[in-house]
């Protein structure tokens, strides 16, 4: 399944300027999602990080991985519009810089999903070079609350 920007907003609760996905090229619900963001000098963070040498902050690369991963989760039946809260960031590495005019490719896979807890692995790349990778854990609150007292 492919999602354009408008369709992403039906699943993802983040909105501009914090939504870090422009297009989902492929999503397999419960398996993974891959898409991209076109970065340009007008993106809000370039003005501040760093003045005179703009790059995407590493924490926003991790956020992009998280946003793409949640697309793979909330496209599962019955989860459309549900919120996924980040509960853990582990095994994270940023190994390159991302500048304006880049196309950021975000690729994620669901490692496990049970009782509203999802473990995911993902990366961001530019020109086929991985610039950030991370493993994250999310809680789908409505699902998690059904199995916890």
């Amino acid at each position: 399944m492919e999602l354009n920007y408008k369709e992403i907003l039906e699943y993802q609760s983040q909105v501009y300027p914090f939504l870090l996905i422009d297009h989902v090229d492929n999503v397999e619900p419960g398996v993974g999602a891959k898409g991209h963001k076109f970065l340009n000098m007008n993106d809000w963070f370039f003005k501040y990080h760093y003045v005179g040498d703009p790059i995407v902050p590493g924490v926003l690369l991790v956020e992009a991985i998280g946003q793409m991963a949640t697309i793979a989760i909330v496209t599962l039946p019955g989860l459309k519009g549900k919120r996924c809260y980040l509960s853990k960031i582990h095994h994270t590495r940023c190994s390159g810089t991302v500048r304006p005019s880049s196309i950021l490719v975000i690729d994620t896979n669901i490692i496990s999903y049970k009782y509203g807890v999802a473990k995911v692995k993902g990366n961001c790349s530019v020109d086929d070079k991985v610039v950030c990778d991370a493993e994250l854990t999310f809680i789908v609150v409505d699902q998690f609350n059904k199995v916890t007292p």
Side-chain angles (χ1 to χ4, degrees), residues 40-61:
N40 66 65
M41 199 57 197
N42 293 328
D43 287 313
W44 64 272
F45 42 83
F46 285 132
K47 183 177 178 181
Y48 308 103
H49 193 270
Y50 296 101
V51 176
D53 186 27
I55 64 172
V56 177
V59 70
L60 291 183
L61 296 174

Side-chain angles (χ1 to χ4, degrees), residues 100-114:
S101 301
S102 298
I103 299 173
L104 184 68
V105 176
I106 311 146
D107 192 6
T108 62
N109 292 296
I110 305 299
I111 299 168
S112 66
Y113 179 74
K114 190 173 183 179

Side-chain angles (χ1 to χ4, degrees), residues 28-106:
E28 291 182 59
V31 176
K34 183 175 183 177
H36 61 271
K37 172 149 181 74
F38 295 105
L39 297 162
N40 66 65
M41 199 57 197
N42 293 328
D43 287 313
W44 64 272
F45 42 83
F46 285 132
K47 183 177 178 181
Y48 308 103
H49 193 270
Y50 296 101
V51 176
D53 186 27
I55 64 172
V56 177
V59 70
L60 291 183
L61 296 174
V62 174
E63 176 67 22
I65 293 168
Q67 289 181 13
M68 189 64 71
T70 62
I71 292 291
I73 298 166
V74 298
T75 51
L76 284 164
L79 297 185
K80 186 175 185 177
K82 302 292 184 191
R83 290 203 179 164
C84 297
Y85 292 154
L86 180 64
S87 67
K88 188 172 184 181
I89 300 172
H90 36 141
H91 306 294
T92 302
R93 179 180 52 126
C94 293
S95 55
T97 55
V98 181
R99 301 192 179 281
S101 301
S102 298
I103 299 173
L104 184 68
V105 176
I106 311 146

